[in-house]
């Protein structure tokens, strides 16, 4: 089985080219691939499959995209969307000669996402219009309760804009969320405004643990710092793995940042 490895602000992924939809990945296989000691290592798996070969219904215009991003969390669970993953997915399509020229449309379980390569090599993805669902709370590993804004960016987030540095919060285990607010679980971001238009963020991702970055979480953090979806704003968001920029307006959110392919190879049987 061929693979590639890539990352966006150190949110890293095992990429599996499967244009004809021949792979039937189990949760255990995904978890073993993502194991950082016994496998390749990654925050998740991106399966690169033609939408026509997918074998499952897609919505939100995704059926019109040639390529579909089948994203799995590191524990093997299926996720609706991944902002850094879409950028890395698009970078792989370009790297492998599967796309070229103008904007690329990528199908996801949250709908179609338009991706463009900037002159400096960064990749910008149209993340759609985030949905603010109200206030929420989480209890962190050390017992501290944090409160924030529930935001859907195609997947569920609790983005907590707080009044002290993000390094001091305990994200060593999954935060406890109210099942009534997050029936399918959620991602939790701790966020601090560190200057005009600048945020620091850490994140605990559902199904993957604390990661070095999370693209949808970066968008959720920007929405929470702005106070609403659809209000024009631009935010630089710094995460442990680097920095992305979020542009918000009435049409939605655009996420800009780096995406690189670092290796290719073949997984040994078993």
């Amino acid at each position: 089985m061929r693979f590639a490895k890539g990352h966006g602000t150190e949110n890293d992924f095992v990429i599996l080219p499967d244009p004809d939809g021949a792979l039937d990945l189990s949760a255990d296989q995904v978890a073993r691939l993502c194991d950082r000691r016994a496998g390749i290592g990654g925050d998740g798996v991106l399966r690169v499959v033609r939408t026509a070969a997918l074998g499952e219904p897609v919505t939100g215009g995704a059926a019109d995209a040639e390529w579909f991003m089948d994203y799995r969390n590191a524990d093997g669970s299926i996720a609706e969307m991944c902002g850094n993953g879409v950028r890395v997915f698009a970078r792989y399509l370009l790297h492998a000669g599967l796309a070229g020229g103008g904007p690329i449309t990528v199908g996801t379980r949250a709908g179609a996402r338009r991706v463009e390569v900037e002159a400096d090599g960064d990749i910008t993805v149209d993340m759609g219009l985030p949905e603010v669902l109200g206030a929420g709370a989480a209890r962190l590993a050390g017992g501290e309760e944090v409160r924030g804004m529930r935001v859907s960016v195609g997947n569920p987030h609790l983005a907590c804009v707080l009044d002290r540095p993000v390094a001091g919060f305990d994200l060593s285990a999954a935060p406890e969320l109210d099942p009534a607010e997050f029936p399918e679980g959620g991602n939790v971001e701790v966020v601090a405004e560190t200057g005009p238009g600048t945020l620091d963020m850490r994140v605990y991702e559902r199904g993957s643990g604390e990661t070095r970055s999370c693209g949808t979480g970066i968008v959720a953090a920007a929405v929470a710092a702005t106070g609403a979806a659809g209000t024009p704003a631009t935010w630089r968001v710094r995460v442990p793995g680097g920095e992305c920029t979020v542009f918000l307006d009435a049409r939605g959110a655009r996420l800009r940042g780096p995406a690189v392919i670092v290796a290719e190879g073949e997984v040994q049987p078993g």
Side-chain angles (χ1 to χ4, degrees):
M1 182 169 59
R2 296 291 300 172
F3 78 92
K5 179 73 183 287
H7 77 91
T9 52
E10 298 181 6
N11 193 191
D12 61 336
F13 307 96
V14 179
I15 304 158
L16 299 180
D18 183 28
D20 299 322
L23 293 177
D24 183 15
L25 289 175
S26 69
D28 180 65
Q29 286 174 314
V30 170
R32 285 189 288 143
L33 286 168
C34 291
D35 190 303
R36 295 192 182 278
R37 294 176 178 83
I40 298 166
D43 294 325
V45 165
L46 306 174
R47 184 169 69 109
V48 183
V49 59
R50 283 193 172 87
T51 304
L54 188 63
E56 65 176 85
V58 293
T59 59
D64 297 327
E66 180 180 3
W67 295 100
F68 187 88
M69 181 183 76
D70 175 17
Y71 178 61
R72 313 291 180 95
N73 294 313
D75 66 354
S77 59
I78 292 173
E80 305 90 342
M81 181 56 187
C82 180
N84 288 326
V86 172
R87 298 201 322 279
V88 172
F89 187 96
R91 176 68 74 200
Y92 178 79
L93 292 179
L94 295 166
H95 171 81
L98 300 175
I104 303 167
T105 300
V106 175
T108 79
R109 290 186 176 85
R113 295 293 183 262
R114 179 184 170 97
V115 183
E116 297 187 66
V117 181
E118 306 293 346
D120 64 358
D122 276 0
I123 292 182
T124 299
V125 54
D126 185 341
M127 300 290 288
L129 185 63
E131 184 180 3
V132 174
L133 302 173
R139 189 169 300 280
L140 302 183
E144 179 179 8
E145 183 178 88
V146 293
R147 302 196 65 80
M149 179 182 288
R150 291 183 290 128
V151 183
S152 173
V153 192
N155 58 351
H157 293 266
L158 178 68
C160 306
V161 181
L162 304 163
D163 59 1
R164 70 178 202 262
V166 299
F169 293 93
D170 188 348
L171 298 181
S172 61
E176 295 178 20
L177 294 165
D178 184 345
E181 296 176 345
F182 293 92
E184 297 180 351
N187 307 290
V188 176
E189 292 80 32
V190 290
V191 185
E193 186 170 354
T194 54
T198 304
L199 302 172
D200 282 356
M201 186 194 92
R202 289 171 59 213
V203 57
Y204 191 100
E205 287 198 65
R206 173 189 61 172
S208 296
E210 183 177 5
T211 57
R212 301 279 293 171
S213 180
C214 172
T216 52
I218 286 171
V219 172
V223 171
T226 304
T231 300
T234 299
W235 293 96
R236 293 172 52 224
V237 183
R238 301 183 302 194
V239 293
E243 181 180 302
C244 290
T245 303
V246 180
F247 307 92
L248 301 174
D249 58 29
R251 296 173 300 163
R254 289 178 297 129
L255 173 69
R256 176 174 175 168
V260 298
I261 304 300
V262 298
E264 292 182 279
E266 187 160 337
V267 180
Q268 296 299 314

